[in-house]
Amino acid sequence: MLALSALGPRVAILGPSNSGKSTLAVSISQKTGLAPVHLDQLRHLPHTNWQERPDEEFAQLHDQAIKTDSWVMEGNYSTLLPPRLDRATGMILLDGNLWLRYFRYVKRTLKNTETRAGHLAGGQDRLSWQMTSWIFKTRSDAQVYEDILAKTGKPMVLCRTANELNQLYEDWSLPTPWSEDLRGQLSL
């Protein structure tokens, strides 16, 4: 496995919903000092029930974020992916078991806490058919992203299972989602 440092100062994390992207971004940020950027927070208006910003405004926020010198940015948003990958110095792709992703979704909506990584400020996570179907619809997206990322020729780490993701935390000595070190930082 590649060393975390091999990914450079601009790390893009992609993967399906509820695969662990936000938490990994916060953990890497805490370890490296790279600024965490949660694309869902740029896409959606704070203090709403995940109401989207206008496309143009979101694209401007995205482009401003990728122009900075260093970041660990998580999220997909494939329409904005090409410029992000051009600026990224390394990438991480997460995948995972569909049922585990559903479990994480239900757990996060029932807990509905502002300390969850990537949480929308003032937003309310609620169980919805729209999100449930989105998780199912995007279940195979990791393969599509893997093909796109491989074509960049940039350093890439792939975690296909929860065990591989847990191993990544261990190999890189990252604070884990269940550690005291990270729990207080998850609202970044």
Side-chain angles (χ1 to χ4, degrees):
M1 173 164 312
L2 285 174
L4 176 56
S5 60
L7 298 180
R10 291 182 301 280
V11 180
I13 303 174
L14 286 85
S17 294
N18 297 284
S19 59
K21 299 181 302 292
S22 298
T23 303
L24 181 60
V26 171
S27 186
I28 290 172
S29 172
Q30 187 175 1
K31 168 110 180 169
T32 64
L34 298 174
V37 179
H38 304 284
L39 291 179
D40 279 346
Q41 291 175 343
L42 300 183
R43 180 59 171 150
H44 300 92
L45 294 167
H47 306 287
T48 68
N49 188 22
W50 297 92
Q51 179 184 342
E52 291 185 348
R53 294 178 194 274
D55 292 342
E56 214 173 89
E57 184 180 340
F58 172 47
Q60 288 175 343
L61 291 169
H62 173 272
D63 292 349
Q64 288 172 357
I66 65 171
K67 287 177 183 173
T68 60
D69 291 335
S70 61
W71 38 261
V72 55
M73 187 175 296
E74 64 83 14
N76 299 324
Y77 297 99
S78 56
T79 58
L80 300 176
L81 191 56
R84 187 175 343 131
L85 294 184
D86 285 346
R87 286 282 298 150
T89 53
M91 293 150 298
I92 302 170
L93 178 60
L94 304 181
D95 199 356
N97 178 287
L98 178 63
W99 299 111
L100 176 59
R101 292 176 34 233
Y102 275 123
F103 172 76
R104 287 176 175 160
Y105 170 61
V106 170
K107 181 179 170 186
R108 89 180 200 192
T109 57
L110 293 177
K111 282 179 88 173
N112 198 20
T113 174
E114 292 221 13
T115 60
R116 179 181 65 78
H119 183 77
L120 185 64
Q124 293 292 310
D125 286 327
R126 294 188 182 115
L127 289 175
S128 72
W129 178 249
Q130 181 181 7
M131 186 61 176
T132 303
S133 61
W134 179 256
I135 292 170
F136 185 78
K137 179 182 174 187
T138 60
R139 69 191 179 282
S140 304
D141 283 1
Q143 183 59 54
V144 173
Y145 288 126
E146 184 177 356
D147 295 341
I148 292 168
L149 298 181
K151 290 177 184 173
T152 69
K154 294 181 181 182
M156 179 175 74
V157 173
L158 174 61
C159 294
R160 294 184 192 276
T161 67
N163 286 339
E164 288 177 5
L165 180 56
N166 290 339
Q167 188 64 51
L168 182 75
Y169 276 92
E170 187 176 317
D171 290 350
W172 288 351
S173 300
L174 296 172
T176 60
W178 50 89
S179 72
E180 289 296 323
D181 293 345
L182 192 59
R183 265 189 251 156
Q185 301 297 318
L186 289 180
S187 60
L188 292 174

